[in-house]
Amino acid sequence: MTQTVESIFDEALERYKSGTDAAELIPVFKDICDRAPQNSAAWTCLSWLYMLDSQPKLASKAALKAVKLNPQDPQARVNLATAMLETGQKGLRDHVEVASQLMMVNEEWQEEIKNSIEDGLTRKPDWKSLEKVKNWLF
């Protein structure tokens, strides 16, 4: 039986939540993005995994794709701003501003971003760029 992209995505997300290493999940999310290139959530996850795996250039490309597909996703904006900071790109403050505005509109998003950042700092404690983005947002 062939799995749907959605079920593969859900399984991979569960594996991430249970502590699976980012490097192990990158190929899974790359495959999801290849099979469903319009899935902004998959691109957002892939960008996050690339950053956890210290691949900021690839993270930036994936996050940019996620933002283009869904400009209203604050996590994609946070990922893009963080990757831009790590790669020395300009214009990241705009993405922080938009993420901040989106979080003001939706408290649930604010909680999700807080949890995501804390998860990232737990998995990668010396993540200076994420720490900066966190300070700008909160």
Side-chain angles (χ1 to χ4, degrees), residues 51-68:
M51 286 190 297
L52 283 171
D53 198 44
S54 301
Q55 299 185 60
K57 286 182 182 170
L58 292 173
S60 179
K61 286 180 182 179
L64 186 59
K65 178 90 171 168
V67 168
K68 283 182 179 176

Side-chain angles (χ1 to χ4, degrees), residues 12 14 29 32-33 35 38 40 43 47 54 56 59 76 82 90-91 93 101 104 115 131:
E14 285 307 312
F29 278 96
I32 294 167
C33 291
R35 293 171 66 181
Q38 300 302 310
S40 65
W43 287 104
S47 67
S54 301
T82 305
K90 297 194 182 322
R93 288 293 282 196
Q101 291 167 1
M104 279 191 248
N115 292 339
E131 197 64 63

Side-chain angles (χ1 to χ4, degrees), residues 111-130:
E111 199 58 35
E112 286 176 14
I113 296 298
K114 273 185 186 173
N115 292 339
S116 172
I117 289 172
E118 290 312 313
D119 173 71
L121 293 173
T122 299
R123 289 174 185 253
K124 192 174 176 179
D126 60 340
W127 199 348
K128 303 267 186 276
S129 55
L130 185 62

Side-chain angles (χ1 to χ4, degrees), residues 30-123:
K30 278 174 65 176
D31 180 55
I32 294 167
C33 291
D34 287 345
R35 293 171 66 181
Q38 300 302 310
N39 185 331
S40 65
W43 287 104
T44 301
C45 291
L46 182 60
S47 67
W48 183 256
L49 293 169
Y50 276 139
M51 286 190 297
L52 283 171
D53 198 44
S54 301
Q55 299 185 60
K57 286 182 182 170
L58 292 173
S60 179
K61 286 180 182 179
L64 186 59
K65 178 90 171 168
V67 168
K68 283 182 179 176
L69 289 169
N70 184 2
Q72 304 302 311
D73 181 352
Q75 183 66 57
R77 297 275 184 172
V78 167
N79 291 4
L80 182 55
T82 305
M84 290 173 79
L85 189 58
E86 290 186 9
T87 56
Q89 297 177 58
K90 297 194 182 322
L92 65 105
R93 288 293 282 196
D94 293 343
H95 297 290
V96 173
E97 295 280 323
V98 172
S100 182
Q101 291 167 1
L102 290 167
M103 289 179 349
M104 279 191 248
V105 173
N106 187 330
E107 280 184 36
E108 193 175 296
W109 284 345
Q110 185 173 3
E111 199 58 35
E112 286 176 14
I113 296 298
K114 273 185 186 173
N115 292 339
S116 172
I117 289 172
E118 290 312 313
D119 173 71
L121 293 173
T122 299
R123 289 174 185 253

